[in-house]
Amino acid sequence: MVQKYTLGILTLFILGLATVEPQTAFTLRRGLQGSASETGEGAAQVLVLETQLARDALILEQLASSTLLGTVAEVYSEYPFGLKSELLVNVGKEKGVLVGQPVLFRGIFIGRVTKVFPHFSLVETLFDVRTKYPVRVGKKGVDALLVGGGEPRLTLVSNDAVFEPGEAVYAAIPSLPYGMPIGAVGTMSVARDGLFKEAQMIFPFNPTEVRVLRIRTDWDPALHKTES
Amino acid sequence: MRLVGGGIIFLFALLIQLKFGRVGFGLENFLLLSLVALATVLRTRELLFFILLSIWFLNWQPSISGELVALVAIPFGVHVLKDIFPGSAFFGCVLAAGLGVGLWYVLAYARVILEFPFVFVGEIILGILWSFPFFVAVQFLRPAE
């Protein structure tokens, strides 16, 4: 009888916590998961500069990825299972966040907003298997498709394309600001079908250390829609 | 006593999933597997408590997601259907874990299944393998007959 009542009280307590104070679980989970920091801000700045140089070489428009644009957002919680990679951040509709806006970490494009709540937003990152983004690589602006996942990679790179490991990879996504830095080219290989080249991606940060992001709330996705 | 034993199994699964849940190899379903195993021995209210606990702990957004629906529906489904599973513990385990993980992917990653069918099949096989320790452990929680 005592056990029955104890269980009932505990169930109600958890139900109350889940409804009123969900962030207690976020904090607890983060504490248990821990975080690691392997690379610092310096590497990110180098990448931003390399991208800038690559784009200058192509005489393209001025780099649109100033780190000062947009709204600062703190990561509240993250998707706890595999395959997908989603972050819940602490700004939402009230701060002008819209679905489709790009999200940056230290000036590097990390994903985009997929869901907006009054005080929160959900960001789908590059480390989600569902993501695919057209990108450009290096000083020659080689076209490639960035396929997301635990280890994002560059695919569909033409066999005669010329670029070296370490060159900057930047966004060429029609509905997002052009030229946002994404990462650098890692080890290159030939795709299984032999028709294209592939390359691993190098990011100047560890995905587990992402805690503060910047959402480009100045960017209106409705004005840059490519699908009817 | 059964609740404490169930709690230990549940906490073990929770910690494993939190530490390794994002690396794949079937570990992302560790908590689901423990709930499926517990669903075969616990009373409804006890199972409800553990399901609620896992939802509170794992939810990462203020709206309902396919993953959390799966986390409720699959263990409850097993709990309701446990008497229909054949008497053979081995066959029951394989069926419950395999169906559980399969249904999890259908509810949570329907789009991913089409794109990565090998991952789907691999995760079902790994889920069945990982579930054995849980099914063995919950046997100690069964009331004496």
Side-chain angles (χ1 to χ4, degrees):
Chain A
M1 198 63 165
V2 174
Q3 195 192 3
K4 197 173 163 182
Y5 281 116
T6 312
L7 189 63
I9 291 166
L10 278 174
T11 306
L12 285 175
F13 178 68
I14 295 297
L15 196 61
L17 265 184
T19 318
V20 183
E21 291 284 328
Q23 61 269 37
T24 48
F26 303 159
T27 314
L28 193 60
R29 213 166 68 206
R30 191 172 293 168
L32 286 169
Q33 277 175 318
S35 63
S37 178
E38 286 172 8
T39 50
E41 200 171 348
Q45 283 170 344
V46 169
L47 184 68
V48 173
L49 288 171
E50 275 187 6
T51 303
Q52 222 158 352
L53 284 171
R55 293 201 50 218
D56 284 349
L58 284 170
I59 320 170
L60 295 169
E61 65 189 68
Q62 199 178 348
L63 192 68
S65 58
S66 163
T67 55
L68 294 174
L69 289 170
T71 304
V72 171
E74 284 180 70
V75 176
Y76 224 32
S77 71
E78 51 198 286
Y79 185 77
F81 308 102
L83 294 178
K84 291 184 193 174
S85 174
E86 290 178 340
L87 304 171
L88 184 75
V89 297
N90 68 345
V91 292
K93 208 175 278 176
E94 56 162 7
K95 296 269 184 182
V97 178
L98 299 169
V99 169
Q101 281 174 336
V103 182
L104 310 175
F105 175 62
R106 292 179 186 160
I108 309 286
F109 174 72
I110 193 171
R112 59 175 152 188
V113 177
T114 51
K115 250 187 204 177
V116 180
F117 305 96
H119 309 290
F120 300 100
S121 307
L122 207 57
V123 175
E124 183 185 79
T125 80
L126 295 169
F127 304 97
D128 189 306
V129 290
R130 298 168 298 172
T131 55
K132 279 179 185 150
Y133 290 117
V135 294
R136 294 239 156 90
V137 186
K139 289 172 188 156
K140 300 227 185 255
V142 172
D143 287 317
L145 185 70
L146 176 66
V147 177
E151 289 178 358
R153 60 188 203 285
L154 292 171
T155 62
L156 300 180
V157 180
S158 169
N159 258 335
D160 46 10
V162 182
F163 59 80
E164 295 295 322
E167 285 201 67
V169 176
Y170 53 95
I173 307 157
S175 57
L176 295 178
Y178 184 82
M180 290 180 292
I182 294 181
V185 179
T187 315
M188 293 165 65
S189 59
V190 177
R192 254 182 268 168
D193 57 17
L195 299 173
F196 295 99
K197 282 197 282 198
E198 287 189 351
Q200 289 180 327
M201 283 287 293
I202 298 170
F203 295 94
F205 58 85
N206 182 337
T208 59
E209 71 176 337
V210 175
R211 291 289 175 263
V212 180
L213 300 166
R214 195 171 277 275
I215 299 178
R216 285 285 304 270
T217 43
D218 58 303
W219 181 263
D220 186 353
L223 297 176
H224 302 88
K225 248 186 180 165
T226 50
E227 298 145 19
S228 56
Chain B
M1 194 59 202
R2 200 172 50 214
L3 197 61
V4 174
I8 292 169
I9 292 170
F10 175 83
L11 276 178
F12 172 72
L14 191 68
L15 288 174
I16 295 280
Q17 188 180 318
L18 282 179
K19 275 288 171 200
F20 307 105
R22 299 184 70 181
V23 299
F25 304 113
L27 292 171
E28 74 157 51
N29 290 309
F30 234 59
L31 196 63
L32 176 75
L33 294 173
S34 76
L35 288 173
V36 165
L38 288 169
T40 61
V41 293
L42 293 184
R43 292 194 186 99
T44 309
R45 60 172 181 270
E46 295 167 340
L47 181 64
L48 178 71
F49 171 71
F50 285 118
I51 288 175
L52 199 60
L53 198 60
S54 52
I55 286 176
W56 167 67
F57 204 73
L58 292 182
N59 190 21
W60 74 104
Q61 56 158 324
S63 66
I64 295 168
S65 61
E67 288 84 346
L68 296 187
V69 171
L71 213 56
V72 176
I74 295 167
F76 258 118
V78 171
H79 185 64
V80 171
L81 297 173
K82 66 182 174 192
D83 297 330
I84 300 171
F85 284 125
S88 155
F90 174 77
F91 192 66
C93 292
V94 171
L95 207 60
L99 280 177
V101 175
L103 200 57
W104 163 270
Y105 268 77
V106 170
L107 289 172
Y109 300 132
R111 269 173 57 195
V112 175
I113 295 173
L114 297 173
E115 217 167 325
F116 305 97
F118 293 115
V119 172
F120 176 58
V121 175
E123 289 279 309
I124 289 180
I125 294 167
L126 284 170
I128 291 169
L129 293 175
W130 284 124
S131 73
F132 284 129
F134 289 116
F135 280 106
V136 170
V138 298
Q139 298 313 309
F140 295 102
L141 305 179
R142 269 186 206 285
E145 295 186 12

